Amino acid sequence: MKRQLANYFFIVLHEKVESVNGNEIKFTSGDDLDFILTENNLDLTEKQSAAGANDYYSQNCQATTLSVSEEIRKKYRNSKVVVQFKTTQGDVITLGSKEVPVRCKVNSRLNTDHWSFTRSNPTPVIT
């Protein structure tokens, strides 16, 4: 399944998260989400896979942004995160939790940065 998302996302390192309840993120300290603007709308894809008696869902989203600051790039380069997207209809999708974070990779290019978000989870986020 695929869901189209708006052209931005909010992100935080999973160790800064105390809990996630629905779309509400509670932080361990005074931290907040970082706002990242992308070049285009994003697509969140989800694929169901069977693993013996249990199914799981592979969730994936790719984003290209204009170059972000070196501080942001270093912070998220190869990390575990909680990321929040909005759909083009305005609905919020929170991907990740303290227990099952999202793997984030950031690769720098000449004038852009490429972000990759992946996670396997026992429950779907696209309904």
Side-chain angles (χ1 to χ4, degrees), residues 45-79:
T45 58
E46 185 171 72
K47 181 179 173 187
Q48 184 177 3
S49 301
N54 300 318
D55 289 348
Y56 68 94
Y57 298 84
S58 298
Q59 298 149 347
N60 184 334
C61 184
Q62 308 293 317
T64 301
T65 65
L66 296 176
S67 281
V68 296
S69 70
E70 188 61 29
E71 176 186 358
I72 293 288
R73 194 176 296 121
K74 283 181 180 180
K75 184 176 180 180
Y76 296 112
R77 185 171 308 276
N78 190 13
S79 59

PDB file of all heavy atoms in Angstrom, residues 45-79:
ATOM      1  N   THR A  45       5.323   3.876   1.840  1.00  0.00           N
ATOM      2  CA  THR A  45       4.911   2.570   1.340  1.00  0.00           C
ATOM      3  C   THR A  45       4.941   1.566   2.481  1.00  0.00           C
ATOM      4  O   THR A  45       5.772   1.653   3.388  1.00  0.00           O
ATOM      5  CB  THR A  45       5.805   2.078   0.185  1.00  0.00           C
ATOM      6  OG1 THR A  45       7.158   2.027   0.630  1.00  0.00           O
ATOM      7  CG2 THR A  45       5.699   2.988  -1.018  1.00  0.00           C
ATOM      8  N   GLU A  46       4.033   0.612   2.406  1.00  0.00           N
ATOM      9  CA  GLU A  46       3.930  -0.410   3.436  1.00  0.00           C
ATOM     10  C   GLU A  46       3.642  -1.738   2.758  1.00  0.00           C
ATOM     11  O   GLU A  46       2.751  -1.838   1.925  1.00  0.00           O
ATOM     12  CB  GLU A  46       2.806  -0.035   4.399  1.00  0.00           C
ATOM     13  CG  GLU A  46       2.658  -0.941   5.575  1.00  0.00           C
ATOM     14  CD  GLU A  46       1.679  -0.352   6.577  1.00  0.00           C
ATOM     15  OE1 GLU A  46       0.462  -0.346   6.282  1.00  0.00           O
ATOM     16  OE2 GLU A  46       2.146   0.096   7.629  1.00  0.00           O
ATOM     17  N   LYS A  47       4.428  -2.744   3.109  1.00  0.00           N
ATOM     18  CA  LYS A  47       4.279  -4.065   2.505  1.00  0.00           C
ATOM     19  C   LYS A  47       4.107  -5.093   3.612  1.00  0.00           C
ATOM     20  O   LYS A  47       4.911  -5.153   4.552  1.00  0.00           O
ATOM     21  CB  LYS A  47       5.519  -4.383   1.673  1.00  0.00           C
ATOM     22  CG  LYS A  47       5.475  -5.701   0.977  1.00  0.00           C
ATOM     23  CD  LYS A  47       6.731  -5.905   0.160  1.00  0.00           C
ATOM     24  CE  LYS A  47       6.764  -7.314  -0.405  1.00  0.00           C
ATOM     25  NZ  LYS A  47       8.024  -7.616  -1.050  1.00  0.00           N
ATOM     26  N   GLN A  48       3.068  -5.907   3.503  1.00  0.00           N
ATOM     27  CA  GLN A  48       2.812  -6.954   4.482  1.00  0.00           C
ATOM     28  C   GLN A  48       3.612  -8.194   4.114  1.00  0.00           C
ATOM     29  O   GLN A  48       3.645  -8.609   2.963  1.00  0.00           O
ATOM     30  CB  GLN A  48       1.324  -7.281   4.527  1.00  0.00           C
ATOM     31  CG  GLN A  48       0.958  -8.291   5.575  1.00  0.00           C
ATOM     32  CD  GLN A  48      -0.548  -8.541   5.641  1.00  0.00           C
ATOM     33  OE1 GLN A  48      -1.303  -8.004   4.860  1.00  0.00           O
ATOM     34  NE2 GLN A  48      -0.950  -9.372   6.577  1.00  0.00           N
ATOM     35  N   SER A  49       4.269  -8.781   5.103  1.00  0.00           N
ATOM     36  CA  SER A  49       5.054  -9.993   4.896  1.00  0.00           C
ATOM     37  C   SER A  49       4.702 -11.000   5.968  1.00  0.00           C
ATOM     38  O   SER A  49       4.456 -10.642   7.121  1.00  0.00           O
ATOM     39  CB  SER A  49       6.552  -9.684   4.977  1.00  0.00           C
ATOM     40  OG  SER A  49       6.910  -8.731   4.012  1.00  0.00           O
ATOM     41  N   ALA A  50       4.709 -12.253   5.589  1.00  0.00           N
ATOM     42  CA  ALA A  50       4.428 -13.323   6.545  1.00  0.00           C
ATOM     43  C   ALA A  50       5.741 -13.811   7.146  1.00  0.00           C
ATOM     44  O   ALA A  50       6.730 -13.976   6.446  1.00  0.00           O
ATOM     45  CB  ALA A  50       3.707 -14.463   5.856  1.00  0.00           C
ATOM     46  N   ALA A  51       5.720 -14.015   8.450  1.00  0.00           N
ATOM     47  CA  ALA A  51       6.897 -14.537   9.149  1.00  0.00           C
ATOM     48  C   ALA A  51       6.434 -15.649  10.081  1.00  0.00           C
ATOM     49  O   ALA A  51       6.253 -15.444  11.274  1.00  0.00           O
ATOM     50  CB  ALA A  51       7.593 -13.432   9.919  1.00  0.00           C
ATOM     51  N   GLY A  52       6.192 -16.810   9.516  1.00  0.00           N
ATOM     52  CA  GLY A  52       5.689 -17.919  10.327  1.00  0.00           C
ATOM     53  C   GLY A  52       4.256 -17.649  10.753  1.00  0.00           C
ATOM     54  O   GLY A  52       3.394 -17.372   9.941  1.00  0.00           O
ATOM     55  N   ALA A  53       4.004 -17.675  12.047  1.00  0.00           N
ATOM     56  CA  ALA A  53       2.655 -17.463  12.568  1.00  0.00           C
ATOM     57  C   ALA A  53       2.277 -15.980  12.609  1.00  0.00           C
ATOM     58  O   ALA A  53       1.110 -15.653  12.767  1.00  0.00           O
ATOM     59  CB  ALA A  53       2.551 -18.052  13.967  1.00  0.00           C
ATOM     60  N   ASN A  54       3.244 -15.103  12.492  1.00  0.00           N
ATOM     61  CA  ASN A  54       2.980 -13.669  12.628  1.00  0.00           C
ATOM     62  C   ASN A  54       3.282 -12.917  11.340  1.00  0.00           C
ATOM     63  O   ASN A  54       4.279 -13.178  10.677  1.00  0.00           O
ATOM     64  CB  ASN A  54       3.826 -13.077  13.752  1.00  0.00           C
ATOM     65  CG  ASN A  54       3.530 -13.720  15.088  1.00  0.00           C
ATOM     66  OD1 ASN A  54       2.380 -13.959  15.414  1.00  0.00           O
ATOM     67  ND2 ASN A  54       4.572 -14.001  15.847  1.00  0.00           N
ATOM     68  N   ASP A  55       2.423 -11.960  11.025  1.00  0.00           N
ATOM     69  CA  ASP A  55       2.690 -11.054   9.914  1.00  0.00           C
ATOM     70  C   ASP A  55       3.417  -9.821  10.447  1.00  0.00           C
ATOM     71  O   ASP A  55       3.302  -9.474  11.618  1.00  0.00           O
ATOM     72  CB  ASP A  55       1.385 -10.593   9.256  1.00  0.00           C
ATOM     73  CG  ASP A  55       0.719 -11.703   8.468  1.00  0.00           C
ATOM     74  OD1 ASP A  55       1.366 -12.739   8.236  1.00  0.00           O
ATOM     75  OD2 ASP A  55      -0.446 -11.518   8.090  1.00  0.00           O
ATOM     76  N   TYR A  56       4.163  -9.176   9.588  1.00  0.00           N
ATOM     77  CA  TYR A  56       4.743  -7.886   9.940  1.00  0.00           C
ATOM     78  C   TYR A  56       4.651  -6.984   8.729  1.00  0.00           C
ATOM     79  O   TYR A  56       4.419  -7.424   7.604  1.00  0.00           O
ATOM     80  CB  TYR A  56       6.177  -8.019  10.465  1.00  0.00           C
ATOM     81  CG  TYR A  56       7.183  -8.450   9.428  1.00  0.00           C
ATOM     82  CD1 TYR A  56       7.924  -7.508   8.718  1.00  0.00           C
ATOM     83  CD2 TYR A  56       7.411  -9.796   9.159  1.00  0.00           C
ATOM     84  CE1 TYR A  56       8.846  -7.897   7.760  1.00  0.00           C
ATOM     85  CE2 TYR A  56       8.329 -10.193   8.201  1.00  0.00           C
ATOM     86  CZ  TYR A  56       9.036  -9.235   7.520  1.00  0.00           C
ATOM     87  OH  TYR A  56       9.942  -9.623   6.570  1.00  0.00           O
ATOM     88  N   TYR A  57       4.826  -5.697   8.953  1.00  0.00           N
ATOM     89  CA  TYR A  57       4.673  -4.691   7.913  1.00  0.00           C
ATOM     90  C   TYR A  57       5.982  -3.927   7.765  1.00  0.00           C
ATOM     91  O   TYR A  57       6.489  -3.363   8.734  1.00  0.00           O
ATOM     92  CB  TYR A  57       3.534  -3.735   8.266  1.00  0.00           C
ATOM     93  CG  TYR A  57       2.203  -4.446   8.368  1.00  0.00           C
ATOM     94  CD1 TYR A  57       1.817  -5.081   9.544  1.00  0.00           C
ATOM     95  CD2 TYR A  57       1.356  -4.515   7.280  1.00  0.00           C
ATOM     96  CE1 TYR A  57       0.616  -5.761   9.631  1.00  0.00           C
ATOM     97  CE2 TYR A  57       0.144  -5.190   7.355  1.00  0.00           C
ATOM     98  CZ  TYR A  57      -0.214  -5.812   8.532  1.00  0.00           C
ATOM     99  OH  TYR A  57      -1.401  -6.482   8.618  1.00  0.00           O
ATOM    100  N   SER A  58       6.518  -3.938   6.559  1.00  0.00           N
ATOM    101  CA  SER A  58       7.721  -3.164   6.255  1.00  0.00           C
ATOM    102  C   SER A  58       7.269  -1.798   5.781  1.00  0.00           C
ATOM    103  O   SER A  58       6.520  -1.682   4.816  1.00  0.00           O
ATOM    104  CB  SER A  58       8.538  -3.847   5.166  1.00  0.00           C
ATOM    105  OG  SER A  58       8.965  -5.108   5.590  1.00  0.00           O
ATOM    106  N   GLN A  59       7.723  -0.762   6.480  1.00  0.00           N
ATOM    107  CA  GLN A  59       7.336   0.606   6.162  1.00  0.00           C
ATOM    108  C   GLN A  59       8.565   1.367   5.680  1.00  0.00           C
ATOM    109  O   GLN A  59       9.645   1.229   6.245  1.00  0.00           O
ATOM    110  CB  GLN A  59       6.720   1.266   7.404  1.00  0.00           C
ATOM    111  CG  GLN A  59       5.467   0.538   7.829  1.00  0.00           C
ATOM    112  CD  GLN A  59       5.196   0.565   9.313  1.00  0.00           C
ATOM    113  OE1 GLN A  59       6.038   0.917  10.112  1.00  0.00           O
ATOM    114  NE2 GLN A  59       3.990   0.161   9.690  1.00  0.00           N
ATOM    115  N   ASN A  60       8.374   2.144   4.615  1.00  0.00           N
ATOM    116  CA  ASN A  60       9.501   2.800   3.956  1.00  0.00           C
ATOM    117  C   ASN A  60       9.072   4.160   3.426  1.00  0.00           C
ATOM    118  O   ASN A  60       8.001   4.295   2.847  1.00  0.00           O
ATOM    119  CB  ASN A  60       9.972   1.906   2.811  1.00  0.00           C
ATOM    120  CG  ASN A  60      11.198   2.430   2.121  1.00  0.00           C
ATOM    121  OD1 ASN A  60      11.471   3.609   2.115  1.00  0.00           O
ATOM    122  ND2 ASN A  60      11.931   1.531   1.508  1.00  0.00           N
ATOM    123  N   CYS A  61       9.929   5.159   3.609  1.00  0.00           N
ATOM    124  CA  CYS A  61       9.695   6.483   3.040  1.00  0.00           C
ATOM    125  C   CYS A  61      11.049   7.081   2.658  1.00  0.00           C
ATOM    126  O   CYS A  61      12.009   6.990   3.424  1.00  0.00           O
ATOM    127  CB  CYS A  61       8.983   7.389   4.043  1.00  0.00           C
ATOM    128  SG  CYS A  61       8.556   9.005   3.359  1.00  0.00           S
ATOM    129  N   GLN A  62      11.128   7.649   1.479  1.00  0.00           N
ATOM    130  CA  GLN A  62      12.340   8.309   0.980  1.00  0.00           C
ATOM    131  C   GLN A  62      12.045   9.792   0.810  1.00  0.00           C
ATOM    132  O   GLN A  62      10.956  10.161   0.375  1.00  0.00           O
ATOM    133  CB  GLN A  62      12.757   7.735  -0.377  1.00  0.00           C
ATOM    134  CG  GLN A  62      12.878   6.226  -0.422  1.00  0.00           C
ATOM    135  CD  GLN A  62      14.016   5.708   0.417  1.00  0.00           C
ATOM    136  OE1 GLN A  62      15.098   6.262   0.413  1.00  0.00           O
ATOM    137  NE2 GLN A  62      13.769   4.643   1.164  1.00  0.00           N
ATOM    138  N   ALA A  63      12.997  10.647   1.143  1.00  0.00           N
ATOM    139  CA  ALA A  63      12.797  12.092   1.024  1.00  0.00           C
ATOM    140  C   ALA A  63      14.067  12.750   0.506  1.00  0.00           C
ATOM    141  O   ALA A  63      15.171  12.361   0.891  1.00  0.00           O
ATOM    142  CB  ALA A  63      12.432  12.694   2.372  1.00  0.00           C
ATOM    143  N   THR A  64      13.902  13.729  -0.347  1.00  0.00           N
ATOM    144  CA  THR A  64      15.019  14.564  -0.801  1.00  0.00           C
ATOM    145  C   THR A  64      14.756  15.977  -0.324  1.00  0.00           C
ATOM    146  O   THR A  64      13.681  16.537  -0.554  1.00  0.00           O
ATOM    147  CB  THR A  64      15.154  14.534  -2.331  1.00  0.00           C
ATOM    148  OG1 THR A  64      15.372  13.178  -2.740  1.00  0.00           O
ATOM    149  CG2 THR A  64      16.318  15.382  -2.791  1.00  0.00           C
ATOM    150  N   THR A  65      15.730  16.544   0.375  1.00  0.00           N
ATOM    151  CA  THR A  65      15.604  17.893   0.903  1.00  0.00           C
ATOM    152  C   THR A  65      16.698  18.771   0.323  1.00  0.00           C
ATOM    153  O   THR A  65      17.734  18.268  -0.132  1.00  0.00           O
ATOM    154  CB  THR A  65      15.749  17.903   2.441  1.00  0.00           C
ATOM    155  OG1 THR A  65      17.072  17.497   2.799  1.00  0.00           O
ATOM    156  CG2 THR A  65      14.737  16.978   3.096  1.00  0.00           C
ATOM    157  N   LEU A  66      16.482  20.066   0.331  1.00  0.00           N
ATOM    158  CA  LEU A  66      17.593  20.968   0.081  1.00  0.00           C
ATOM    159  C   LEU A  66      18.569  20.745   1.220  1.00  0.00           C
ATOM    160  O   LEU A  66      18.199  20.241   2.282  1.00  0.00           O
ATOM    161  CB  LEU A  66      17.111  22.409   0.032  1.00  0.00           C
ATOM    162  CG  LEU A  66      16.156  22.722  -1.121  1.00  0.00           C
ATOM    163  CD1 LEU A  66      15.654  24.150  -1.014  1.00  0.00           C
ATOM    164  CD2 LEU A  66      16.841  22.503  -2.458  1.00  0.00           C
ATOM    165  N   SER A  67      19.822  21.099   1.034  1.00  0.00           N
ATOM    166  CA  SER A  67      20.824  20.820   2.058  1.00  0.00           C
ATOM    167  C   SER A  67      20.390  21.344   3.417  1.00  0.00           C
ATOM    168  O   SER A  67      19.977  22.492   3.545  1.00  0.00           O
ATOM    169  CB  SER A  67      22.161  21.455   1.681  1.00  0.00           C
ATOM    170  OG  SER A  67      22.821  20.664   0.740  1.00  0.00           O
ATOM    171  N   VAL A  68      20.464  20.465   4.415  1.00  0.00           N
ATOM    172  CA  VAL A  68      20.181  20.860   5.790  1.00  0.00           C
ATOM    173  C   VAL A  68      21.490  21.262   6.455  1.00  0.00           C
ATOM    174  O   VAL A  68      22.578  21.045   5.905  1.00  0.00           O
ATOM    175  CB  VAL A  68      19.489  19.719   6.573  1.00  0.00           C
ATOM    176  CG1 VAL A  68      18.134  19.408   5.970  1.00  0.00           C
ATOM    177  CG2 VAL A  68      20.353  18.474   6.616  1.00  0.00           C
ATOM    178  N   SER A  69      21.415  21.825   7.642  1.00  0.00           N
ATOM    179  CA  SER A  69      22.630  22.244   8.340  1.00  0.00           C
ATOM    180  C   SER A  69      23.478  21.022   8.691  1.00  0.00           C
ATOM    181  O   SER A  69      22.973  19.904   8.827  1.00  0.00           O
ATOM    182  CB  SER A  69      22.267  23.009   9.615  1.00  0.00           C
ATOM    183  OG  SER A  69      21.704  22.135  10.574  1.00  0.00           O
ATOM    184  N   GLU A  70      24.746  21.247   8.862  1.00  0.00           N
ATOM    185  CA  GLU A  70      25.660  20.164   9.227  1.00  0.00           C
ATOM    186  C   GLU A  70      25.263  19.561  10.571  1.00  0.00           C
ATOM    187  O   GLU A  70      25.367  18.357  10.777  1.00  0.00           O
ATOM    188  CB  GLU A  70      27.105  20.675   9.271  1.00  0.00           C
ATOM    189  CG  GLU A  70      28.143  19.590   9.458  1.00  0.00           C
ATOM    190  CD  GLU A  70      28.156  18.544   8.341  1.00  0.00           C
ATOM    191  OE1 GLU A  70      27.810  18.856   7.191  1.00  0.00           O
ATOM    192  OE2 GLU A  70      28.514  17.383   8.640  1.00  0.00           O
ATOM    193  N   GLU A  71      24.760  20.387  11.481  1.00  0.00           N
ATOM    194  CA  GLU A  71      24.313  19.921  12.792  1.00  0.00           C
ATOM    195  C   GLU A  71      23.161  18.911  12.654  1.00  0.00           C
ATOM    196  O   GLU A  71      23.186  17.848  13.262  1.00  0.00           O
ATOM    197  CB  GLU A  71      23.854  21.117  13.631  1.00  0.00           C
ATOM    198  CG  GLU A  71      23.275  20.747  14.965  1.00  0.00           C
ATOM    199  CD  GLU A  71      22.693  21.949  15.692  1.00  0.00           C
ATOM    200  OE1 GLU A  71      22.768  23.078  15.196  1.00  0.00           O
ATOM    201  OE2 GLU A  71      22.133  21.726  16.777  1.00  0.00           O
ATOM    202  N   ILE A  72      22.177  19.233  11.830  1.00  0.00           N
ATOM    203  CA  ILE A  72      21.040  18.324  11.601  1.00  0.00           C
ATOM    204  C   ILE A  72      21.519  17.065  10.899  1.00  0.00           C
ATOM    205  O   ILE A  72      21.132  15.948  11.248  1.00  0.00           O
ATOM    206  CB  ILE A  72      19.935  19.024  10.776  1.00  0.00           C
ATOM    207  CG1 ILE A  72      19.303  20.146  11.582  1.00  0.00           C
ATOM    208  CG2 ILE A  72      18.892  18.042  10.279  1.00  0.00           C
ATOM    209  CD1 ILE A  72      18.423  19.701  12.721  1.00  0.00           C
ATOM    210  N   ARG A  73      22.379  17.220   9.902  1.00  0.00           N
ATOM    211  CA  ARG A  73      22.896  16.070   9.152  1.00  0.00           C
ATOM    212  C   ARG A  73      23.626  15.103  10.079  1.00  0.00           C
ATOM    213  O   ARG A  73      23.404  13.901  10.036  1.00  0.00           O
ATOM    214  CB  ARG A  73      23.826  16.573   8.050  1.00  0.00           C
ATOM    215  CG  ARG A  73      24.163  15.548   7.002  1.00  0.00           C
ATOM    216  CD  ARG A  73      25.022  16.135   5.890  1.00  0.00           C
ATOM    217  NE  ARG A  73      24.322  17.159   5.145  1.00  0.00           N
ATOM    218  CZ  ARG A  73      24.741  18.423   5.023  1.00  0.00           C
ATOM    219  NH1 ARG A  73      25.878  18.809   5.587  1.00  0.00           N
ATOM    220  NH2 ARG A  73      24.042  19.294   4.330  1.00  0.00           N
ATOM    221  N   LYS A  74      24.492  15.601  10.944  1.00  0.00           N
ATOM    222  CA  LYS A  74      25.237  14.749  11.872  1.00  0.00           C
ATOM    223  C   LYS A  74      24.305  14.099  12.893  1.00  0.00           C
ATOM    224  O   LYS A  74      24.478  12.937  13.243  1.00  0.00           O
ATOM    225  CB  LYS A  74      26.303  15.559  12.608  1.00  0.00           C
ATOM    226  CG  LYS A  74      27.520  15.854  11.779  1.00  0.00           C
ATOM    227  CD  LYS A  74      28.539  16.626  12.595  1.00  0.00           C
ATOM    228  CE  LYS A  74      29.773  16.938  11.775  1.00  0.00           C
ATOM    229  NZ  LYS A  74      30.771  17.692  12.559  1.00  0.00           N
ATOM    230  N   LYS A  75      23.326  14.851  13.347  1.00  0.00           N
ATOM    231  CA  LYS A  75      22.396  14.363  14.364  1.00  0.00           C
ATOM    232  C   LYS A  75      21.622  13.133  13.885  1.00  0.00           C
ATOM    233  O   LYS A  75      21.421  12.186  14.636  1.00  0.00           O
ATOM    234  CB  LYS A  75      21.428  15.496  14.718  1.00  0.00           C
ATOM    235  CG  LYS A  75      20.459  15.211  15.821  1.00  0.00           C
ATOM    236  CD  LYS A  75      19.655  16.496  16.090  1.00  0.00           C
ATOM    237  CE  LYS A  75      18.645  16.348  17.183  1.00  0.00           C
ATOM    238  NZ  LYS A  75      17.909  17.601  17.412  1.00  0.00           N
ATOM    239  N   TYR A  76      21.204  13.142  12.605  1.00  0.00           N
ATOM    240  CA  TYR A  76      20.340  12.080  12.098  1.00  0.00           C
ATOM    241  C   TYR A  76      20.992  11.150  11.078  1.00  0.00           C
ATOM    242  O   TYR A  76      20.341  10.242  10.587  1.00  0.00           O
ATOM    243  CB  TYR A  76      19.085  12.698  11.468  1.00  0.00           C
ATOM    244  CG  TYR A  76      18.237  13.443  12.466  1.00  0.00           C
ATOM    245  CD1 TYR A  76      18.111  14.819  12.411  1.00  0.00           C
ATOM    246  CD2 TYR A  76      17.565  12.765  13.471  1.00  0.00           C
ATOM    247  CE1 TYR A  76      17.329  15.501  13.335  1.00  0.00           C
ATOM    248  CE2 TYR A  76      16.786  13.429  14.396  1.00  0.00           C
ATOM    249  CZ  TYR A  76      16.675  14.804  14.321  1.00  0.00           C
ATOM    250  OH  TYR A  76      15.898  15.472  15.231  1.00  0.00           O
ATOM    251  N   ARG A  77      22.284  11.322  10.784  1.00  0.00           N
ATOM    252  CA  ARG A  77      22.932  10.599   9.685  1.00  0.00           C
ATOM    253  C   ARG A  77      22.649   9.095   9.677  1.00  0.00           C
ATOM    254  O   ARG A  77      22.289   8.516   8.676  1.00  0.00           O
ATOM    255  CB  ARG A  77      24.435  10.831   9.694  1.00  0.00           C
ATOM    256  CG  ARG A  77      25.114  10.202   8.486  1.00  0.00           C
ATOM    257  CD  ARG A  77      26.559  10.563   8.325  1.00  0.00           C
ATOM    258  NE  ARG A  77      26.856  11.972   8.344  1.00  0.00           N
ATOM    259  CZ  ARG A  77      26.776  12.802   7.289  1.00  0.00           C
ATOM    260  NH1 ARG A  77      26.382  12.336   6.145  1.00  0.00           N
ATOM    261  NH2 ARG A  77      27.083  14.068   7.409  1.00  0.00           N
ATOM    262  N   ASN A  78      22.824   8.435  10.767  1.00  0.00           N
ATOM    263  CA  ASN A  78      22.563   6.987  10.867  1.00  0.00           C
ATOM    264  C   ASN A  78      22.006   6.749  12.264  1.00  0.00           C
ATOM    265  O   ASN A  78      22.735   6.395  13.175  1.00  0.00           O
ATOM    266  CB  ASN A  78      23.843   6.194  10.633  1.00  0.00           C
ATOM    267  CG  ASN A  78      23.588   4.719  10.496  1.00  0.00           C
ATOM    268  OD1 ASN A  78      22.456   4.280  10.344  1.00  0.00           O
ATOM    269  ND2 ASN A  78      24.641   3.923  10.566  1.00  0.00           N
ATOM    270  N   SER A  79      20.711   6.970  12.418  1.00  0.00           N
ATOM    271  CA  SER A  79      20.137   7.014  13.751  1.00  0.00           C
ATOM    272  C   SER A  79      18.800   6.280  13.822  1.00  0.00           C
ATOM    273  O   SER A  79      18.263   5.833  12.813  1.00  0.00           O
ATOM    274  CB  SER A  79      19.941   8.473  14.166  1.00  0.00           C
ATOM    275  OG  SER A  79      19.076   9.115  13.242  1.00  0.00           O
TER     276      SER A  79
END
